């Protein structure tokens, strides 16, 4: 615990899906005057997985964990991913913390990073938190009741951040994911849509805030890292998109250089239409894929000038590198991985696509089988 801040008195909690077993992130929020204090604690994987270890080499080769309907192929051994690194409740855990102050309009003010030791107060699920927030259910145990004020602060902060996201012009695509329900024999019993509620979005906004702080911190200290970049659409894709939408009497604004705001505006316009799903898919296809790169070109879809991945080091290798880079800056040093940042960025982008394709293949196969 040497050199760590002790924040075991802060009632941080994890909020994840029902089936999750690797908990990367815990959150806490308090109102301070007109602003909020948001604390995001992320599993300190870089404390256990050091450069040059066989563990590190294997994690880099895998690039990320791969999630299938019935099993996970983890990036790190389960002793780490579900054990000592996972932010399980009521046990001491090491974390890298992003401690932020966020203003009344959702603008992030001061923030700082530090290594810490803490204890998660509870392992909560999205469904459970959403039932509490919308008043469907009330907290029953004293421990649950004690968490309510913090959860309500989190929800208020989320509403402010979500509003700021709209003002910034981030694109909010609405896709329906599916979940497969299996019986005791391992056969598919049913396929149901996953309904995203505000508890999902609340955690998402907290993670976005921490990721933005991480990229700002590294950029301001001139430490190279892997940014999560998302370039705007190419000229050809833009032409095709405009031609397609013209047939429906619709138009994407922004002239030759449309921004995320123009996309977001068009999305709002087509939402009530019966062919919304088709039109949204065509819009989505016109954009490039997000990837990892040391060249910061910003994130088009989220409308950020700089963005990186900091919040999931248990399941994504780029996040682990970002943690090492932050620690190096805090120690007044620099971090350079083995191999070039460009090559590592391309490799991690490729393993991410490989995982997405594998997951899609398995799901499609299972759906056909069903």
């Amino acid at each position: 615990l040497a050199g760590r801040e002790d924040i075991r008195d802060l009632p941080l909690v994890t909020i994840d899906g029902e089936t999750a077993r690797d908990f990367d992130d815990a959150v806490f929020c308090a109102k301070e005057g007109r602003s909020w204090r948001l604390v995001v604690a992320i599993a300190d994987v870089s404390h256990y997985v050091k450069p040059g270890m066989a563990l590190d080499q294997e994690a880099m080769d895998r690039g990320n964990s791969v999630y299938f309907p019935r099993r996970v192929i983890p990036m790190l051994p389960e002793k780490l991913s579900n054990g000592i690194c996972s932010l399980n409740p009521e046990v001491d855990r090491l974390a890298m913390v992003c401690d932020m102050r966020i203003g009344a309009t959702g603008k992030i003010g001061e923030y700082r990073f530090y290594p810490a030791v803490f204890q998660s107060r509870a392992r909560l699920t999205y469904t459970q938190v959403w039932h509490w927030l919308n008043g469907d259910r009330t907290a029953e145990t004293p421990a649950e009741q004690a968490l309510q004020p913090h959860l309500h602060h989190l929800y208020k902060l989320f509403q402010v951040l979500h509003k700021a996201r709209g003002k910034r012009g981030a694109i909010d695509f609405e896709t329906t994911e599916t979940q497969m329900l299996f019986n005791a024999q391992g056969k598919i019993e049913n396929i149901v849509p996953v309904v995203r509620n505000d508890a999902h979005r609340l955690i998402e906004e907290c993670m976005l805030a921490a990721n933005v702080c991480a990229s700002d911190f590294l950029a301001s200290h001139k430490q190279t890292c892997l940014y999560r970049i998302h370039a705007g659409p190419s000229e050809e894709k833009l032409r095709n998109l405009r031609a397609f939408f013209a047939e429906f009497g619709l138009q994407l604004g922004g002239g030759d250089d449309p921004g995320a705001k123009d996309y977001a505006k068009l999305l709002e316009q087509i939402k009530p239409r019966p062919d919304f799903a088709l039109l949204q898919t065509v819009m989505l296809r016109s954009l490039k894929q997000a990837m990892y790169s040391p060249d910061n070109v910003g994130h088009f879809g989220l409308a950020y000038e700089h963005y990186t991945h900091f919040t999931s080091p248990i399941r994504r290798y780029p996040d682990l590198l970002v943690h090492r880079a932050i620690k190096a800056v805090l120690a007044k040093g620099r971090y350079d991985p083995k191999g070039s940042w460009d090559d590592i960025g391309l490799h991690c982008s490729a393993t991410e696509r490989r995982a997405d394709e594998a997951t899609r293949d398995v799901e499609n196969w299972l759906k056909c089988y069903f």
Side-chain angles (χ1 to χ4, degrees):
L1 305 185
R4 289 182 183 271
E5 293 194 21
D6 188 341
I7 55 168
R8 281 177 280 204
D9 56 331
L10 277 189
L12 286 122
V13 295
T14 61
I15 307 175
D16 292 273
E18 272 77 4
T19 55
R21 296 214 307 279
D22 49 356
F23 310 123
D24 294 284
D25 51 87
V27 291
F28 163 77
C29 181
K31 189 96 168 87
E32 296 186 348
R34 290 200 59 217
S35 56
W36 282 271
R37 178 190 179 194
L38 174 64
V39 178
V40 175
I42 304 296
D44 190 357
V45 178
S46 64
H47 178 79
Y48 300 99
V49 182
K50 304 278 194 218
M53 289 170 79
L55 267 177
D56 184 48
Q57 187 54 50
E58 183 63 26
M60 179 169 159
D61 289 346
R62 294 180 179 218
N64 42 265
S65 296
V66 188
Y67 294 85
F68 293 117
R70 283 188 57 203
R71 58 176 294 208
V72 178
I73 300 176
M75 181 177 86
L76 295 167
E78 290 192 0
K79 281 255 171 74
L80 290 176
S81 62
N82 300 350
I84 195 84
C85 290
S86 184
L87 307 180
N88 302 329
E90 294 170 357
V91 284
D92 283 1
R93 283 292 181 259
L94 304 183
M96 277 301 287
V97 173
C98 180
D99 200 328
M100 301 161 262
R101 187 172 289 273
I102 300 175
T105 58
K107 195 169 168 14
I108 300 170
E110 299 166 350
Y111 63 82
R112 67 189 190 95
F113 287 93
Y114 52 86
V117 57
F118 84 104
Q119 274 201 12
S120 164
R121 287 285 196 280
R123 180 271 197 262
L124 306 176
T125 68
Y126 295 125
T127 314
Q128 181 185 16
V129 170
W130 183 231
H131 282 318
W132 286 338
L133 291 174
N134 70 8
D136 281 354
R137 288 188 201 149
T138 51
E140 286 161 14
T141 66
E144 286 177 353
Q145 284 159 359
L147 297 173
Q148 297 310 305
H150 307 300
L151 291 174
H152 283 284
H153 286 317
L154 263 174
Y155 190 45
K156 278 276 187 304
L157 174 61
F158 152 72
Q159 289 166 319
V160 167
L161 288 171
H162 197 66
K163 204 168 157 191
R165 179 195 184 113
K167 227 182 222 148
R168 207 172 63 237
I171 312 170
D172 220 351
F173 286 115
E174 281 184 24
T175 51
T176 305
E177 290 182 15
T178 54
Q179 184 186 359
M180 298 183 185
L181 305 177
F182 296 89
N183 62 17
Q185 286 74 47
K187 294 276 184 279
I188 304 176
E189 208 145 72
N190 204 357
I191 299 177
V192 296
V194 175
V195 181
R196 269 170 63 83
N197 56 44
D198 277 357
H200 289 88
R201 297 186 186 98
L202 177 155
I203 289 298
E204 203 172 86
E205 287 295 340
C206 292
M207 298 308 119
L208 289 176
N211 286 337
V212 168
C213 290
S215 63
D216 182 67
F217 181 75
L218 293 170
S220 63
H221 286 89
K222 299 191 169 41
Q223 161 70 52
T224 315
C225 71
L226 286 185
Y227 291 97
R228 178 69 171 171
I229 64 166
H230 185 216
S234 66
E235 275 180 40
E236 187 193 352
K237 286 202 163 171
L238 212 48
R239 263 201 314 277
N240 294 345
L241 179 70
R242 289 226 155 92
F244 181 82
F245 269 81
E247 289 179 24
F248 292 84
L250 294 164
Q251 199 180 350
L252 173 71
D256 291 339
D257 191 19
K261 248 191 177 119
D262 302 303
Y263 268 77
K265 205 165 153 188
L266 183 55
L267 259 185
E268 274 307 306
Q269 201 182 327
I270 62 173
K271 257 186 193 148
R273 295 175 60 113
D275 54 4
F276 170 68
L278 165 75
L279 297 178
Q280 177 179 260
T281 303
V282 173
M283 285 177 75
L284 199 51
R285 294 263 164 89
S286 74
L287 296 173
K288 294 177 182 164
Q289 276 183 313
M291 58 181 289
Y292 295 104
S293 167
D295 302 322
N296 177 27
V297 300
H299 198 295
F300 182 84
L302 292 170
Y304 282 134
E305 283 173 26
H306 49 71
Y307 186 67
T308 188
H309 274 169
F310 161 76
T311 54
S312 295
I314 290 178
R315 58 189 182 87
R316 289 192 304 227
Y317 194 71
D319 302 48
L320 177 56
L321 296 179
V322 165
H323 278 233
R324 286 178 185 163
I326 289 173
K327 279 187 175 174
V329 172
L330 291 175
K332 307 268 187 289
R334 281 191 68 72
Y335 173 63
D336 292 304
K338 205 174 90 183
S340 81
W341 283 105
D342 280 303
D343 291 346
I344 297 171
L346 288 170
H347 169 74
C348 291
S349 302
T351 61
E352 179 188 34
R353 276 201 291 280
R354 178 178 70 182
D356 286 346
E357 282 164 15
T359 307
R360 231 187 344 259
D361 281 354
V362 169
E363 285 183 353
N364 288 342
W365 185 85
L366 285 168
K367 282 172 185 173
C368 291
Y369 184 81
F370 179 65

